[in-house]
Amino acid sequence: MVFAFGVVLFALGITVSIALHEAGHMLTARATGMKVRRFFIGFGPKVFSFRRGETEYGLKAIPAGGFCDIAGMTAIDELAPDEVERAMYRQKTWKRLIVMLGGIAMNFVLGFLLIFTLAVGWGLPNLNQPSNAMVGEMPCVTATQNEDLTYPECSGPSPAYSAGIREGDVIVSVNGTPTTDFADVVAATQPLSGTADFVVERDGRELTFPVQIQQVQRWVRDGTETGRKSTTVGAVGLQLAYFYPTQYNPLAAIPASFAFTGDMFVETAHRLVQMPSKVADLWTSVTGGVRDPETPISVVGASVIGGQLVERSLWPVFVLLLASLNFFLGIFNLLPLLPLDGGHMAVTIYERIRNFFRQRRGLPNGGPVDYMKLMPVTYVVIVIGGAYMLLTLTADIVNPIRLF
């Protein structure tokens, strides 16, 4: 029940994020004198609607999006006589850009408010750790692992500590295998036995420590229906360094949240650039391979992860995931591709630049861009984007990401 509640709660958070995005378009359109015909949440059959003023508000059966119908968004829209002068495509450039940016800005504001809540309530994690292979605690190594993934009690130093490795060291390589993050350290250590050379970086120097590998029983993922099996692996008693979140008072949280939001922007943009390269990984997960946790997720996948987080009372991660989703929606919509907001902004800016040069030549302003000529490119974007979304959704259904 707790898991189901988490799934519904995160899905509701996504719906609110989309609703606020569309509300950003609506509010800025009204403020700049445009007519908003309809404001709906969801797609598909209409569940209910009501009219207030000149706008119809409503809810549709599939709460996976929403739309704000602004009169004359393009020159090919049909207009009523009273809408001609208020048509969006006839407005000044700055007004049209403000309306397009209104939805994007709403996602950024919501993301920032979630980050601020995180900073005050639980603390902000460190996104810029010195290394993903830095040594933290070095506990003793138990010979076995319980089936519920807990460990029996043990005592004494770990093999890594006995060999001379210390907290704060950065693992550079394990027995000649380079290790850029802690997953590499684990993968390189588990197949080993006997003594292995661990190269670490400490105070700008590289040091080599021969470490005695301890053979232990562990539960590991194997891609089966149960998800794991018991096997014998090598262990040395190393854990990744953990940087505890920093909590702030409301005043100090403001600059800290802005700085953290900047880091989130960089990380989100980086993941957006990586999306095309993840197609092969998504296809592998759909066809029976292991699901890479770094692959993109759909609304369904994000909601399932939200359920997993609530089930384990990991509310800070829940809030962070919802904030990152809003940042992604905002940055994604900035792409200069139709039918995204960024595509309409690109058309608007093109018209302004074109008219500037026409005026320099003593010519009148040109007419609005013919969207019919842009429809083939728009359809290509829709088809490719739809196929990517379908592939991601399929992966989330047949082979979802499991955090725990």
Side-chain angles (χ1 to χ4, degrees), residues 66-333:
F67 64 92
C68 174
D69 179 16
I70 302 172
M73 189 169 181
T74 68
I76 62 176
D77 289 353
E78 293 186 7
L79 298 172
D82 66 320
E83 296 173 343
V84 174
E85 293 302 319
R86 299 173 65 189
M88 182 174 176
Y89 77 89
R90 295 170 63 93
Q91 306 305 310
K92 293 182 178 180
T93 300
W94 68 268
K95 291 184 177 181
R96 295 165 66 185
L97 291 178
I98 283 178
V99 173
M100 287 297 100
L101 285 169
I104 296 170
M106 194 66 82
N107 284 129
F108 289 160
V109 170
L110 179 57
F112 175 81
L113 291 176
L114 289 168
I115 293 301
F116 179 82
T117 301
L118 186 66
V120 175
W122 294 279
L124 296 178
N126 187 343
L127 294 181
N128 300 305
Q129 297 186 13
S131 170
N132 288 326
M134 179 175 286
V135 177
E137 296 182 3
M138 289 180 283
C140 58
V141 178
T142 60
T144 60
Q145 183 183 25
N146 301 323
E147 194 168 354
D148 63 359
L149 304 185
T150 60
Y151 295 95
E153 292 186 4
C154 65
S155 61
S158 70
Y161 186 88
S162 298
I165 297 176
R166 294 295 180 262
E167 184 175 348
D169 289 346
V170 176
I171 308 296
V172 176
S173 66
V174 175
N175 229 31
T177 302
T179 53
T180 58
D181 57 40
F182 209 75
D184 295 335
V185 176
V186 174
T189 303
Q190 287 187 339
L192 300 177
S193 61
T195 301
D197 287 336
F198 280 64
V199 179
V200 307
E201 183 179 304
R202 180 189 298 171
D203 298 329
R205 298 180 301 151
E206 286 194 358
L207 306 173
T208 302
F209 297 98
V211 181
Q212 181 65 39
I213 307 296
Q214 187 171 331
Q215 296 298 297
V216 297
Q217 174 271 328
R218 294 289 185 265
W219 292 93
V220 298
R221 292 185 178 183
D222 63 352
T224 63
E225 185 175 346
T226 58
R228 61 178 188 266
K229 65 178 180 179
S230 177
T231 189
T232 300
V233 299
V236 295
L238 288 175
Q239 291 183 357
L240 176 65
Y242 181 72
F243 296 86
Y244 289 92
T246 304
Q247 196 168 5
Y248 300 87
N249 63 50
L251 187 61
I254 296 174
S257 298
F258 273 113
F260 190 88
T261 297
D263 292 338
M264 289 285 291
F265 272 23
V266 173
E267 181 65 21
T268 302
H270 178 67
R271 291 185 179 277
L272 188 61
V273 171
Q274 287 183 325
M275 281 183 64
S277 66
K278 297 295 183 179
V279 172
D281 294 332
L282 284 169
W283 181 254
T284 298
S285 65
V286 169
T287 54
V290 177
R291 179 72 183 270
D292 182 356
E294 295 296 321
T295 50
I297 53 177
S298 65
V299 172
V300 172
S303 299
V304 170
I305 291 176
Q308 296 177 39
L309 296 172
V310 171
E311 190 175 32
R312 290 161 178 81
S313 298
L314 296 175
W315 290 104
V317 187
F318 182 95
V319 173
L320 184 60
L321 180 62
L322 190 56
S324 66
L325 174 70
N326 275 276
F327 292 142
F328 177 82
L329 286 173
I331 293 176
F332 183 75
N333 269 287

